[in-house]
Amino acid sequence: MTLFEKQYNEEDVERAEGSVHVEKDAESSVLAAIPERALSWQQTAALLLLEYIVLALLALASSFQVLGMAGGVLTIVLIGLTTLYTSHVLWRYCLKYHQIRDICDVGYYLFGQRRIGWWAAFIGLLLNNLCIMALHTNAGAVALNTLHQPGVCTQVFAGVITIIMFAGSLFRDFQHMSLLGIFAAATMFICITLAMIFAGVQDHPQGWTGEPITWTVWAPKGTTFVQGMNAVLNITYTFVGQALIPSFVGDMKNPEDFPKALYISMAAELVLFNLAGAVIYYKVGTVLTTAPAYGALLSTYAKVVAALTLPTIIIVGSFWMKNLSTVANTPSKAGRCGSQLRSYFGSLPT
């Protein structure tokens, strides 16, 4: 090798090393700007309530319609306790592997620290979040159509809701989202409370033809397996939110305090879910119960309840969109898969 070639190769190496350091420094500065481990257990409880006290509450009466009063209560209690147990197990797993910051990292470690586990979990999270955001887009359009009769255009309403959710997802950390979580959970609590009150004080449900309003203790005669399974899955969907638990635990100041937030949120869920399903089903009856529940209310009452669903629809939709973009933008400590994703698709808003 000549002296010139040697000097040329050394300069290439120095230049390459310098670019690597610059890239790492830039990446570090971006990550440093995002607060880490800033959540208290009270803020985590607010996020859990934001995740669970959602629009699905208005569909629980339709599950009671199929399962009956006792069947609906038992299903909610059994699925709720199962959710509590699995959430507790997932929290302990996150404590064992303190590097975990999201559900994709959990997949990485479950697959023996192989990147295929991270990618499998990410694809699952992507599909889950997209379906939830689509549900909220549709629910927002339905609510706006209820408020504006006759509706202008469902597609226009859906587009407006999507844009607002995207704007809400630009919050950079869960600490700020917890404040919105308190507001969303509070408005949803007021919404479902008013729905129960309106179902009791209205002269008759929407669509009533004069027949007696009846309800059953167990599933009505003629209920098929498919109908029963749909009702159980409807309740299950309301409880399924464990995908976000690693993100919450990974962002807590003291992850050991997570059970406090978990038990508070679960107690609130079991009480509110049973009340929402049982009271509305009892007042509206087997024949006229609808999903969402405000479809069984007279027009004036339905508009009030539909309006109160909008904050939750927008904030929860933004919440799931924000979670997806956060996972995609954060370089995973479990194999650097997050940084690979950014290199493929570019930086998403966080």
Side-chain angles (χ1 to χ4, degrees):
M1 177 182 297
T2 65
L3 180 61
F4 173 78
E5 291 173 338
K6 182 177 181 181
Q7 182 179 358
Y8 179 80
N9 289 337
E10 289 176 351
E11 289 177 355
D12 280 350
V13 171
E14 291 176 359
R15 190 180 301 111
E17 290 178 346
S19 64
V20 170
H21 287 303
V22 169
E23 183 179 347
K24 288 184 177 180
D25 290 342
E27 184 177 284
S28 299
S29 64
V30 171
L31 294 177
I34 302 176
E36 292 191 356
R37 300 200 178 276
L39 287 178
S40 64
W41 70 265
Q42 294 92 340
Q43 291 172 321
T44 305
L47 289 172
L48 287 172
L49 290 173
L50 164 64
E51 185 183 4
Y52 289 107
I53 309 300
V54 293
L55 190 67
L57 280 170
L58 291 173
L60 289 175
S62 64
S63 291
F64 279 70
Q65 178 187 28
V66 175
L67 300 174
M69 191 71 74
V73 170
L74 286 175
T75 303
I76 287 176
V77 171
L78 289 175
I79 295 177
L81 293 178
T82 303
T83 302
L84 179 66
Y85 172 75
T86 55
S87 300
H88 196 274
V89 171
L90 185 56
W91 162 69
R92 294 186 63 183
Y93 190 82
C94 293
L95 286 185
K96 181 177 180 180
Y97 297 98
H98 59 86
Q99 306 94 323
I100 290 176
R101 299 306 303 273
D102 51 59
I103 194 65
C104 299
D105 287 350
V106 173
Y108 176 83
Y109 282 100
L110 287 176
F111 275 74
Q113 301 186 27
R114 296 176 181 174
R115 294 187 181 185
I116 187 176
W118 193 97
W119 284 102
F122 178 79
I123 292 172
L125 181 67
L126 174 65
L127 296 175
N128 175 76
N129 289 16
L130 287 177
C131 289
I132 290 177
M133 288 183 285
L135 169 65
H136 280 253
T137 298
N138 181 67
V142 171
L144 290 175
N145 272 329
T146 302
L147 294 172
H148 190 283
Q149 295 176 344
V152 176
C153 179
T154 301
Q155 287 81 4
V156 172
F157 287 149
V160 170
I161 292 293
T162 302
I163 293 171
I164 297 174
M165 287 195 301
F166 176 78
S169 71
L170 299 179
F171 284 96
R172 293 184 65 82
D173 55 70
F174 286 123
Q175 190 174 15
H176 289 94
M177 289 298 293
S178 68
L179 300 176
L180 292 176
I182 296 172
F183 176 71
T187 55
M188 195 63 215
F189 176 79
I190 295 172
C191 173
I192 196 63
T193 301
L194 288 178
M196 291 187 285
I197 294 173
F198 292 157
V201 301
Q202 65 182 359
D203 295 332
H204 55 79
Q206 181 71 26
W208 185 64
T209 58
E211 298 179 359
I213 295 175
T214 60
W215 55 275
T216 61
V217 177
W218 299 103
K221 292 182 179 180
T223 301
T224 65
F225 174 80
V226 173
Q227 291 173 330
M229 183 58 66
N230 282 337
V232 172
L233 290 177
N234 183 45
I235 295 174
T236 303
Y237 166 78
T238 310
F239 276 105
V240 173
Q242 291 95 328
L244 292 181
I245 287 179
S247 297
F248 296 159
V249 174
D251 207 32
M252 290 183 69
K253 296 176 184 176
N254 300 304
E256 296 80 7
D257 291 338
F258 178 76
K260 298 178 184 178
L262 179 62
Y263 297 146
I264 288 174
S265 66
M266 184 55 65
E269 290 159 34
L270 289 175
V271 172
L272 193 56
F273 287 9
N274 277 305
L275 283 176
V279 171
I280 294 175
Y281 173 57
Y282 174 79
K283 291 296 183 181
V284 176
T286 302
V287 177
L288 298 176
T289 295
T290 62
Y294 59 76
L297 302 178
L298 297 178
S299 179
T300 302
Y301 298 140
K303 289 182 178 181
V304 174
V305 176
L308 286 170
T309 63
L310 291 175
T312 299
I313 289 171
I314 293 169
I315 294 173
V316 175
S318 301
F319 182 67
W320 285 96
M321 188 180 294
K322 181 250 180 301
N323 171 254
L324 183 61
S325 61
T326 299
V327 172
N329 276 275
T330 302
S332 172
K333 294 182 179 180
R336 311 292 290 178
C337 299
S339 58
Q340 285 189 5
L341 190 65
R342 287 184 299 161
S343 68
Y344 293 153
F345 300 105
S347 182
L348 300 174
T350 56

